[in-house]
Amino acid sequence: MERRFWARETSTDWWDRIVLQVWDDSQWLRNFRMRKGTFMELCDLLSPALKRQNTKMRAALTVEKRMAIALWKLATPDSYRSVGNQFGVGKSTVGAAVMQVAKAITQVLLRKLVTLGNVQAIVDGFAAMGFPNCGGAIDRTHIPILAPEHQATEYINRKGYFSMVLQALVDHKGCFTNINAGWAGRVHDARVFRNTTLFKGLQQGTYFLDQKIIVGDVEMPIVILGDPAYPLMPWLMKPYTGSLDRSQELFNYRLSKCRMVVECAFGRLKGRWRSLLTRSDLSQRNLPIVISACCVLHNLCESKGETFMAGWEAEANRLAADYAQPDTRAIRRAHQE
């Protein structure tokens, strides 16, 4: 006699009959942050990592449904229970789907999509914006979290809430080319930066090609742009501070104009994946995986030309108001000057 599935039966009609069969691209974009074609392409890429076998006790979720649950949870501030009710699954299944998809994305797609790519195109892009021989703009952003069980005080940032740091280098189009997630919110930007493989590669001269130009009588390597919190290096330019002459003001203007791309990238990242704007309950081990997966999804959406809808920014700003980004002393000093 064939055994019955022991799992409590729930309705999946909404997903099977409405979303998959009726929704148009605008509805897919609004709810999953990408059109159906991009979604299905993503499922195909991750299918080997996500496919599960049915057991005698329960039927496995399809790759498509597992992906949809994860993207819905990442794109909204909704609770696990709310997302589970939407898809006809339990809240523990939602949590499992988010981590399974996030791990698959980081294992399969991270190195393919978060990469330097065509350096000359990036240099040309920043040159067109006003800064020569620039290979990227760097910054950090704080992701709010619940108080960790261990070493909680290390995660309290200057604004007084618990957070985890995402540091990113972006190209002229606002795509991430290097990311580092997981440092505690209390740690200074410069310390985070100095402990990354990006810093080591730049310091050793192996990250970019050895492409130098002559500016005045100075040989200039490919540089990245940072705010006053970052250390001034031969390959890292930051704004002048103090009393400035006109040439220094012009330098700061051009640097700030080009550095805006990284701030815009963070805005679009959080506007698409709004779960990064609310206090995450994920563990200190799992949250960096989810943050990294969101960065990969950001690059995928940007490369596929997925529309960033007008209302997303306003909604993100509303959620972000509760967790203002902390400034370092160097940034505050620069603003005061």
Side-chain angles (χ1 to χ4, degrees):
M1 183 175 175
E2 187 178 353
R3 291 186 183 183
R4 294 184 178 183
F5 296 144
W6 65 266
R8 179 171 59 89
E9 287 203 9
T10 52
S11 173
T12 63
D13 283 359
W14 174 78
W15 166 251
D16 295 328
R17 299 183 184 180
I18 305 298
V19 178
L20 282 177
Q21 298 181 29
V22 177
W23 274 14
D24 60 20
D25 270 349
S26 67
Q27 290 169 298
W28 277 86
L29 180 67
R30 192 176 305 114
N31 293 286
F32 298 109
R33 285 4 197 191
M34 60 187 71
R35 292 163 294 177
K36 188 176 181 181
T38 304
F39 176 91
M40 291 302 178
E41 186 178 332
L42 183 60
C43 290
D44 289 342
L45 289 170
L46 299 180
S47 182
L50 287 177
K51 199 163 188 180
R52 300 290 187 271
Q53 295 294 323
N54 290 341
T55 69
K56 297 229 176 212
M57 304 305 287
R58 66 166 71 224
L61 293 177
T62 63
V63 171
E64 292 77 15
K65 188 169 183 179
R66 199 182 303 272
M67 180 69 69
I69 290 169
L71 294 188
W72 188 288
K73 182 69 180 81
L74 293 175
T76 68
D78 295 355
S79 66
Y80 290 98
R81 187 181 300 279
S82 172
V83 177
N85 290 340
Q86 191 79 28
F87 286 88
V89 299
K91 64 178 183 178
S92 61
T93 303
V94 175
V98 169
M99 286 314 305
Q100 288 161 4
V101 168
K103 286 176 181 176
I105 288 172
T106 54
Q107 290 166 4
V108 178
L109 297 178
L110 180 61
R111 292 192 176 184
K112 294 179 182 177
L113 293 182
V114 180
T115 181
L116 199 54
N118 187 336
V119 176
Q120 190 56 53
I122 296 172
V123 169
D124 291 343
F126 278 111
M129 295 165 66
F131 208 101
N133 224 30
C134 175
I138 192 169
D139 204 356
R140 58 85 192 98
T141 190
H142 287 254
I143 310 298
I145 62 172
L146 293 174
E149 290 183 8
H150 306 291
Q151 296 180 311
T153 55
E154 292 299 310
Y155 287 82
I156 301 175
N157 61 39
R158 291 179 181 276
K159 288 293 183 181
Y161 62 90
F162 298 96
S163 68
M164 190 172 279
V165 176
L166 165 64
Q167 178 193 269
L169 184 72
V170 306
D171 64 15
H172 60 296
K173 293 182 176 179
C175 288
F176 299 111
T177 57
N178 185 283
I179 59 172
N180 183 281
W183 281 82
R186 188 177 177 181
V187 181
H188 191 278
D189 296 0
R191 184 182 164 202
V192 173
F193 181 45
R194 288 181 185 276
N195 283 278
T196 60
T197 55
L198 173 63
F199 180 88
K200 293 178 178 68
L202 289 164
Q203 186 79 316
Q204 294 166 4
T206 57
Y207 190 75
F208 291 119
L209 299 170
D210 186 21
Q211 178 179 315
K212 293 178 177 156
I213 63 172
I214 303 298
V215 179
D217 57 353
V218 176
E219 202 175 47
M220 177 184 175
I222 295 179
V223 299
I224 64 173
L225 309 178
D227 66 22
Y230 285 91
L232 181 65
M233 308 292 286
W235 38 262
L236 194 156
M237 295 292 102
K238 56 191 270 187
Y240 286 102
T241 57
S243 180
L244 310 182
D245 60 32
R246 292 196 63 181
S247 63
Q248 291 170 334
E249 287 178 352
L250 177 60
F251 176 91
N252 280 7
Y253 167 75
R254 290 191 175 187
L255 187 148
S256 297
K257 180 182 175 184
C258 291
R259 217 184 60 77
M260 281 291 291
V261 294
V262 67
E263 295 178 8
C264 290
F266 284 146
R268 290 168 78 89
L269 170 74
K270 294 178 179 181
R272 278 196 177 99
W273 312 111
R274 287 179 292 168
S275 61
L276 299 178
L277 289 165
T278 55
R279 290 192 299 170
S280 175
D281 60 353
L282 293 170
S283 69
Q284 291 150 273
R285 178 184 297 178
N286 286 339
L287 183 55
I289 298 171
V290 170
I291 294 171
S292 298
C294 289
C295 292
V296 174
L297 291 169
H298 166 88
N299 278 12
L300 176 68
C301 291
E302 293 292 323
S303 66
K304 294 291 183 183
E306 299 293 351
T307 303
F308 186 85
M309 299 184 80
W312 294 351
E313 186 174 4
E315 175 64 12
N317 289 340
R318 184 184 67 78
L319 290 170
D322 293 332
Y323 303 103
Q325 289 295 307
D327 289 336
T328 64
R329 290 191 187 93
I331 295 173
R332 289 198 298 273
R333 194 183 308 122
H335 286 168
Q336 287 166 2
E337 289 169 346

